[in-house]
Amino acid sequence: MEQSLRADKQYRIGLIGDKSSLVPFWELFASLGNERVMGRMGFQALALHEQAPTGGDFGNTLDLPVHQNWREMLAAHPDLNLVIETTGNLELLGELRRELPLNVSLVERSAASFFVRLLSTDQMWVACKLDLLHTQTLLKGIIDQLKEQILLVDAAGLVLDCNKAVQESQGLPKADIVGRPLRAFFPVLERHPGDGSEPPPLEQALVGRRPAEATLPHVDAQGLMHYTREYVYPIQDEAGQPRSFLCIRRDITSRTQMEQRLQQSERLASIGEMSTYIAHEIRNPLFAIGGFANQLLRNVSDPAAREKIEIIIEESKRLDSILKSILTFARPVEPGDGAADLNRIVRDTMELMGMACESKNIELVLGLAEDLPQVQAGPELLKQCLINLVKNSVEAMPQGGLLAVRSGMVGARVALEVEDTGQGIAPDLRDKVFSPFFSTKGRGSGLGLAMTKKILDDLGGTVELTSVPGAGTRVTLFLPPQLAVAKPQADG
């Protein structure tokens, strides 16, 4: 039964009627159908109910053979298996019911009109479906081309849909993403009670039912810091109630890095201006304080007084050391002439610092790549950068650990890497470690990493920091290699 209903039977149709009923019926059918459907319907001929000359002309409206009556039409077209009667004449209908062959079906005028309108509805539905599919394909193509991660989530924070950028970032097909919480794929850093920070945008929007946005930092599996701007917009229904939420995530790590560099440049400019004032207004009286304190120390024999004078001398020396660091930091870095052998600098420096590592139960590992090109930097500058990094790593491992110093090529740049197994750096401190005068040790000038970054910036290199709290820190210096450019010869 099911197969018979689904069978694609080919109908060969004949029309029966007069001119006043056939032409309007055909025009209605043609206006509601289309050329593809009309071609498949199988209209073969038409027969007149009223007397008319055989082959009578109906114009261009009906391009079918015309017969004088239905019997003549069936005789000329014995393959007809369906006839449509368009007049509604009861006498004619009775005649057709009695005399039509059993293999020819009869469709009366009212039933034919019903099927024509049903066909119109079906064709309209197909047209709407095609238009909807076209729009859906176009919209999906546009959204999938965007670099931003776009997700649709429900009121519980579960993913309803996502674009291609989300699937690529997670390495998962859409089927494995839909239905799971958004924060299972894009976690946020823990908030500490009382720190004054607001909830992430999605959580704000789910509670407040209003748009929200914020910059979210997170650390990837390699310990690299990323910054993402997250926008969340409620999608309201006809009653104005939010039923779902559109979440757009944009990676702004590069932009944030540029902003941080600009801010640091502004701070360095301020420090440069301040250093001139410090040199003239503080160093001279500091020199006088130290000189007079040394004179007093030679002339005083009271032990208590001598102890206090010694404290004055030590503190003045410490202040002078800080002052020298500030002046050195503010002074423009000169790259130096010629090129430097990075591996040789590493070996010489670590030979000097190896004893300090050994005394603190720190295992030192060198991994130096062979055939490295020389770098465009002064040896003393590179030595200063390496000492700063090693000192920080040693201080981060008070109970001992592993310190690895490696060199190699990364793309077209020479890389110097210092990695420790120390305490690591908390994510909220990553942005501050390269800032002048910032220190987590409670002592020192806080200029070590800031000076290292300044030297690399002036040399045309970059610094990359990766750290996992409790698992260690890795700082990589990327240096420009010395190019094989012929030097101009002096005129003889």
Side-chain angles (χ1 to χ4, degrees):
M1 179 65 179
E2 181 180 357
Q3 291 181 352
S4 63
L5 290 174
R6 293 177 178 271
D8 189 12
K9 182 176 180 180
Q10 183 64 43
Y11 285 96
R12 291 173 291 278
I13 305 172
L15 293 173
I16 302 174
D18 51 29
K19 189 171 184 179
S20 61
S21 64
L22 282 172
V23 173
F25 179 82
W26 183 267
E27 289 177 347
L28 173 65
F29 199 99
S31 65
L32 294 178
N34 56 46
E35 293 182 0
R36 181 180 64 83
V37 175
M38 295 290 288
R40 293 182 58 188
M41 289 301 295
F43 289 100
Q44 302 291 317
L46 61 87
L48 295 176
H49 171 55
E50 296 177 345
Q51 294 296 323
T54 302
D57 186 12
F58 280 80
N60 295 328
T61 306
L62 292 174
D63 188 16
L64 295 174
V66 180
H67 300 274
Q68 189 171 0
N69 54 61
W70 65 268
R71 292 182 179 86
E72 183 180 313
M73 180 180 69
L74 287 180
H77 303 276
D79 58 343
L80 293 179
N81 52 20
L82 186 146
V83 294
I84 298 176
E85 199 284 320
T86 65
T87 65
N89 184 283
L90 296 178
E91 181 180 351
L92 177 59
L93 286 173
E95 179 181 318
L96 291 171
R97 290 185 181 124
R98 290 191 304 270
E99 300 185 27
L100 276 177
L102 294 177
N103 65 323
V104 178
S105 301
L106 173 64
V107 177
E108 300 178 11
R109 176 177 178 172
S110 58
S113 299
F114 168 76
F115 287 120
V116 168
R117 297 189 182 279
L118 186 63
L119 173 66
S120 168
T121 303
D122 177 72
Q123 293 304 307
M124 185 179 300
W125 175 84
V126 171
C128 292
K129 180 181 178 181
L130 292 175
D131 186 61
L132 180 61
L133 288 175
H134 174 72
T135 304
Q136 182 182 19
T137 302
L138 178 63
L139 183 60
K140 184 179 184 299
I142 293 174
I143 292 178
D144 279 342
Q145 291 298 318
L146 296 177
K147 296 185 295 183
E148 287 79 4
Q149 299 167 342
I150 302 177
L151 305 99
L152 188 67
V153 301
D154 62 14
L158 303 179
V159 178
L160 299 174
D161 202 352
C162 64
N163 71 341
K164 190 175 181 180
V166 176
Q167 302 171 48
E168 291 178 346
S169 70
Q170 300 300 314
L172 295 171
K174 183 185 293 188
D176 292 342
I177 298 175
V178 172
R180 297 177 61 188
L182 180 139
R183 290 301 176 215
F185 305 101
F186 303 108
V188 295
L189 297 178
E190 279 189 42
R191 296 172 56 237
H192 301 287
D195 62 1
S197 62
E198 293 185 346
L202 177 63
E203 285 68 16
Q204 289 187 50
L206 292 178
V207 175
R209 305 290 177 172
R210 64 179 185 276
E213 62 178 271
T215 299
L216 303 177
H218 71 277
V219 182
D220 63 17
Q222 288 73 39
L224 295 173
M225 175 68 80
H226 297 262
Y227 293 91
T228 302
R229 190 71 180 176
E230 187 173 274
Y231 307 83
V232 181
Y233 304 96
I235 307 298
Q236 299 179 345
D237 57 15
E238 295 180 355
Q241 297 297 320
R243 299 300 181 187
S244 58
F245 297 82
L246 179 65
C247 179
I248 303 175
R249 295 172 53 85
R250 179 180 293 116
D251 190 333
I252 60 169
T253 304
S254 298
R255 188 182 78 184
T256 303
Q257 185 183 39
M258 294 177 62
E259 293 173 351
Q260 291 173 352
R261 287 183 176 179
L262 179 60
Q263 292 172 1
Q264 186 170 18
S265 298
E266 293 173 350
R267 287 195 296 267
L268 296 180
S270 300
I271 292 173
E273 296 175 0
M274 183 180 63
S275 63
T276 304
Y277 173 80
I278 292 175
H280 290 87
E281 301 298 330
I282 297 180
R283 205 168 195 185
N284 289 336
L286 180 63
F287 180 77
I289 291 172
F292 284 118
N294 278 298
Q295 289 183 7
L296 287 173
L297 185 62
R298 288 193 294 269
N299 298 326
V300 173
S301 59
D302 180 49
R306 288 180 64 86
E307 183 181 355
K308 293 177 182 177
I309 295 173
E310 288 175 353
I311 292 175
I312 293 174
I313 294 172
E314 290 299 323
E315 290 301 312
S316 64
K317 288 181 179 179
R318 190 171 72 87
L319 187 58
D320 183 63
S321 176
I322 294 174
L323 181 60
K324 288 179 180 178
S325 298
I326 294 173
L327 294 175
T328 301
F329 182 78
R331 190 180 301 120
V333 174
E334 296 294 336
D337 297 330
D341 185 340
L342 180 62
N343 284 346
R344 181 175 180 180
I345 294 171
V346 172
R347 290 190 185 97
D348 293 345
T349 304
M350 298 314 299
E351 184 177 350
L352 295 175
M353 302 193 70
M355 295 182 62
C357 295
E358 186 178 345
S359 64
K360 296 194 175 184
N361 196 29
I362 295 175
E363 181 183 355
L364 179 61
V365 177
L366 294 183
L368 306 180
E370 297 180 358
D371 300 325
L372 276 185
Q374 294 186 326
V375 294
Q376 298 179 25
E380 291 302 318
L381 291 178
L382 292 181
K383 185 176 180 180
Q384 181 181 352
C385 292
L386 180 57
I387 291 174
N388 288 337
L389 298 181
V390 172
K391 286 176 61 178
N392 285 339
S393 293
V394 171
E395 291 171 352
M397 298 184 289
Q399 308 301 324
L402 178 66
L403 174 62
V405 181
R406 309 181 186 95
S407 66
M409 291 294 297
V410 177
R413 297 186 296 176
V414 181
L416 173 60
E417 181 181 282
V418 178
E419 182 176 12
D420 62 62
T421 56
Q423 303 166 355
I425 302 172
D428 56 341
L429 300 179
R430 301 284 180 85
D431 299 336
K432 303 176 182 178
V433 294
F434 291 108
S435 299
F437 311 114
F438 177 80
S439 176
T440 59
K441 299 184 286 289
R443 53 190 174 83
S445 61
L447 289 173
L449 283 176
M451 189 66 191
T452 299
K453 189 175 189 308
K454 183 174 184 297
I455 291 174
L456 266 291
D457 288 342
D458 292 342
L459 292 176
T462 56
V463 183
E464 182 180 274
L465 171 72
T466 60
S467 184
V468 177
T473 301
R474 181 173 67 251
V475 180
T476 306
L477 309 182
F478 295 99
L479 299 156
Q482 182 72 25
L483 302 180
V485 178
K487 296 182 180 180
Q489 296 180 356
D491 294 337

